[in-house]
């Protein structure tokens, strides 16, 4: 017998009610999930961590709680790290939860081959996990709400494919997946990344590294600024136009970035709404540092300190011998700004073809007055990113070493020169300094 | 039904009818077009079946929508945007989820979120098991007992796992053709499986009977599989409401399968064993 039955009014009503309940329940669940995400308080600043390039969301590169080596250094441990072919880029390591994460040196000229992403115990140098990925910046370690461990995010920048942020589970504990196939927890990218863009080198990378602010990762996909959920990898929002890609500086839920016309913009981390902080600077800004009292903006040979209203509190310009070097990236802490300035003209020899050499200088963060210039050390160009702590500023030098300078007067406290290949920027955590150099990751301590 | 006598000519050693010469009462041979026509006629007379399957599709769409807001990574169904065309035919009637969770995203999940994920996956499975059992029971005049629902659910889950973890590889066309042919051959012979489970057959008997019912109707059933599979894939590729659109195709699949079983399988038949 062939069944036959038209819809009854009761069936229709029940179906309508069911569909309504489904949609309402879904909307309520989404609302709750989003509210919970917004209310999730960002992790307090970890005193004993350096979880991203330049240490914190504001890019201060200053570790106030650290007790770094000042009376010389010796190697506590070292372990090999895979390099890509013909490496000329060297991002610095990051440290969190007693684990050091580092990307091996790699080549910037499109040479195929991937460096290693390595996780090492900070205490004894034991390798906890490693994977070979085309990572192109220092990792950023962010909390992940749904997981027991954090997310370690690295930016991959293939030449022709869309750029992507890749999130791995933090090493150790339950998350041993790194050791297997190296499958990431998530991969984030955007449909249409801006193809008209410029980007500024930062701390040994040709692309700005991702920034972890609470459970949000702020990064650039080519010229598109994006906020990515550290747990799910969901792209929360993107900028509606291409921007010059520089390392964002995040403070109090706001990401400061260089705007499209040499100005500075502020993006709300939650909503992606933006406001203009400064319409335009006379010269292109290159680096931003968000300290509690000032937003420092620096470019080729200049620094400006903006107050909370975006007004210039002080500014300084370095002019020596006609040479010009970027003043940043800066390190800011304990009332001092550590910057880069041109060497006196006598050092460069005054010859036009001579490579500009630069020196580290310390400025008073309150008024920009020069406290000292470390004349004895020429600092690296592409690798420059100072790491500061109580009594120590560590900087890669032009001759490939890592130099420890006294924060009081800029005198050289120690030099670490591991060999043929140059040192990366450093990370200072606890009583140790971590650095990648000569195809190894080193932990340095006071003798 | 009158075709009960006709199937005797195709009986095998196992006693299952092959239904090789199944015909409509008017004597028309079984074709893919005829199955769709008969299936749509069944659905027209039983619109509650369409409603049930579409409500299940809506549930899948809502689960997808919620999953996009939770903190667990998802992989989106890319569909036609990848530039590929896929025959997405599920033997156990279902729709492709808009978002799924990759195994690598499960490592280290907090227990609460693992429960949340499991509950949503269970909901997705349960609604389509319920809709499938209701739909086939209605169209085949069968009794949807708890045992039937359990067996149906078990096979549904096994089918889902098989498809989720099935290996895949990019191979040249000529290399891939034999695999596609094998896939179509197997799936076409299992087309009747969900309907037979609802009729009360045990899992193994339902598989055996489905295989034998399909014997001799490979081209017709292969056509149904390809058309339904392509339509499911294309409708699920819609950027908004893909699972709801795909559920309409799933309803057509239910109708076509029920029409096939009604014509080839005889009136009842779990009792035949």
């Amino acid at each position: 017998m062939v069944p036959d039955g038209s819809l009854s009014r009761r069936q229709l009503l029940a179906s309508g009610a069911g569909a309504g309940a489904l949609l309402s329940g879904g909307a309520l669940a989404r609302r709750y999930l989003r509210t919970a995400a917004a209310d999730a308080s960002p992790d307090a600043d970890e005193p004993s961590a350096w979880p991203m390039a330049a240490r914190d969301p504001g890019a201060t590169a200053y570790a106030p709680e650290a007790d770094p080596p000042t009376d010389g250094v010796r190697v506590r441990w070292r372990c090999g790290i895979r390099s890509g072919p013909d490496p000329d880029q060297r991002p610095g390591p990051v440290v969190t939860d007693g684990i050091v994460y580092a990307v091996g040196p790699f080549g910037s000229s499109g040479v195929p081959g991937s460096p290693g992403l390595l996780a090492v115990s900070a205490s004894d140098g034991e390798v906890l996990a490693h994977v070979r990925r085309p990572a192109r910046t220092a990792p950023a370690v962010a909390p992940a709400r749904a997981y027991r461990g954090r997310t370690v995010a690295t930016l991959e920048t293939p030449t022709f494919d869309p750029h992507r942020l890749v999130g791995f589970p933090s090493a150790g504990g339950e998350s041993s997946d790194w050791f297997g196939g190296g499958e990431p927890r998530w991969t984030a990218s955007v449909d249409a990344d801006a193809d008209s863009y410029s980007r500024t080198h930062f701390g040994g990378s040709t692309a700005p590294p991702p920034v972890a602010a609470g459970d949000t990762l702020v990064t650039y996909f080519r010229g598109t600024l994006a906020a990515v959920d550290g747990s799910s990898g969901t792209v929360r929002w993107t900028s509606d136009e291409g921007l010059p890609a520089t390392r964002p500086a995040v403070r109090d839920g706001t990401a400061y970035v260089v705007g499209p016309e040499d100005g500075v913009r502020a993006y709300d981390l939650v909503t992606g709404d933006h406001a203009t902080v400064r319409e335009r600077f006379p010269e292109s800004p290159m680096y931003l540092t968000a300290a509690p009292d000032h937003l420092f903006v620096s470019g080729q040979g200049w620094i400006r300190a903006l107050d909370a209203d975006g007004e210039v509190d002080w500014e300084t310009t370095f002019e020596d011998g006609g040479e010009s070097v970027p003043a940043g990236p800066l390190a800011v802490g304990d009332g001092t700004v550590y910057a880069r300035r041109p060497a006196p003209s006598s050092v460069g020899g005054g010859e036009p073809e001579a490579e500009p050499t630069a020196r580290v200088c310390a400025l008073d963060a309150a008024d920009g007055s020069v406290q000292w210039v470390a004349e004895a050390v020429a600092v690296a160009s592409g690798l420059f990113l100072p790491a500061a702590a109580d009594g120590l500023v560590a900087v890669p030098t032009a001759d490939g070493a890592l130099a420890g300078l006294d924060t009081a007067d800029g005198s050289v406290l120690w030099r670490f020169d591991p060999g043929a290949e140059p040192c990366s920027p450093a990370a200072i955590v606890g009583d140790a300094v971590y650095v990648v150099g000569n195809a190894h990751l080193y932990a340095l301590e006071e003798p | 039904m009158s075709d009960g006598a006709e199937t005797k000519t195709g009986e095998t050693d196992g006693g299952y009818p092959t239904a090789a010469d199944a015909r409509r009462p008017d004597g028309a041979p079984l074709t893919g077009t005829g199955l769709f026509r008969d299936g749509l006629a069944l659905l027209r007379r039983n619109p509650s079946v369409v409603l049930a399957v579409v409500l299940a599709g809506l549930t899948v769409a809502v689960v997808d929508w919620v999953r996009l807001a939770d903190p667990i990574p998802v992989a989106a169904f890319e569909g036609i945007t990848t530039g590929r065309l896929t025959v997405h035919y599920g033997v156990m009637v279902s729709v492709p989820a808009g978002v799924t969770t990759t195994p690598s995203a499960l490592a280290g999940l907090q227990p609460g979120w693992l429960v949340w994920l499991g509950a949503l996956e269970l909901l997705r499975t349960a609604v389509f098991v319920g809709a499938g059992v209701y739909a086939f029971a209605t169209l085949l005049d069968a009794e949807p007992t708890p045992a039937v629902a359990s067996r149906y659910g078990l096979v549904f889950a096994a089918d889902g796992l098989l498809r989720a973890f099935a290996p895949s590889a990019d191979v040249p066309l000529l290399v891939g053709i034999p695999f596609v042919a094998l896939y179509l051959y197997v799936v076409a012979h299992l087309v009747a499986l969900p309907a037979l489970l609802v009729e009360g057959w045990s899992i193994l008997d339902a598989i055996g009977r489905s295989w034998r019912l399909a014997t001799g109707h490979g081209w017709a059933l292969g056509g149904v599989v390809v058309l339904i599979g392509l339509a499911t894939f294309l409708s699920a590729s819609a950027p908004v409401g893909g699972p709801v659109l795909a559920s309409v195709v799933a309803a057509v699949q239910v109708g076509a399968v029920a029409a096939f079983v009604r014509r080839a399988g005889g009136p009842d038949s779990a009792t035949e064993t």
Side-chain angles (χ1 to χ4, degrees), chain A residues 170-176:
Chain A
S170 55
E174 304 283 339
S175 304
S176 58

Side-chain angles (χ1 to χ4, degrees), chain A residues 292-439:
Chain A
D293 297 331
H294 287 102
L295 175 66
F296 296 96
V297 185
S298 62
Q300 198 77 9
W302 58 268
I303 302 173
R304 284 173 175 78
L306 308 186
D307 62 18
D309 299 323
E311 297 300 320
V312 176
D313 198 5
W314 58 261
E315 61 181 279
T316 188
T317 302
F318 304 124
E319 291 175 357
D320 278 304
E323 293 178 349
S324 179
V325 294
L330 309 176
V332 181
D334 198 22
T336 304
V337 176
Y338 302 97
R340 177 167 45 170
R341 59 171 296 158
S345 54
S346 58
V347 174
E351 298 175 17
E353 66 273 15
E355 275 289 310
T357 53
R359 299 289 184 267
V360 179
C361 65
L363 312 176
D364 189 321
D367 57 16
S369 59
V370 177
Q371 295 177 335
W372 50 257
V373 179
E375 299 289 1
V377 176
V379 295
S381 52
L383 293 168
F384 181 76
L385 172 59
D390 181 28
L392 177 76
V393 187
V395 288
T397 66
D399 58 1
L402 184 72
L405 308 179
D406 190 334
T407 53
D409 56 13
S411 59
V412 179
L413 297 171
W414 47 259
R415 277 175 60 90
F416 174 66
D417 193 352
E421 294 188 6
C423 286
S424 73
I428 304 174
V429 178
D431 61 352
V433 174
Y434 302 91
V435 66
V436 174
N438 205 24

Side-chain angles (χ1 to χ4, degrees), chain B residues 63-135:
Chain B
V63 169
D64 288 345
W65 190 42
V66 171
R67 285 296 325 278
L68 287 172
D70 76 19
I72 306 171
V74 294
F77 179 80
E78 293 178 310
I80 195 72
T81 57
T82 60
R84 297 179 181 186
L85 209 53
T86 301
V87 176
H88 202 289
Y89 184 91
V91 171
M92 304 303 289
V93 179
S94 66
V95 297
V99 297
T100 52
T101 303
T102 59
S104 62
L106 299 176
L109 263 184
Q110 291 187 15
W113 288 110
L114 205 55
V115 170
W116 160 264
L117 188 61
L120 290 181
E121 290 301 324
L122 197 63
L123 175 62
R124 268 207 280 233
T125 302
V127 292
F128 257 96
V129 168
V133 170
Y134 171 78

Side-chain angles (χ1 to χ4, degrees), chain B residues 228-258:
Chain B
I228 293 284
L230 287 175
T232 301
F233 180 76
L234 291 173
S235 54
S237 301
V240 178
V244 179
L245 287 175
S247 67
V248 176
V249 181
V252 175
Q253 179 185 350
V254 169
V257 172

Side-chain angles (χ1 to χ4, degrees), chain A residues 1 5 15 30 146-148 231, chain B residues 45 51 65 71 105 108 110 262:
Chain A
M1 169 186 149
S15 302
R30 282 175 63 88
Y147 291 93
R148 290 191 288 269
S231 183
Chain B
R45 287 195 289 272
L51 200 58
W65 190 42
Q110 291 187 15
R262 291 179 70 84

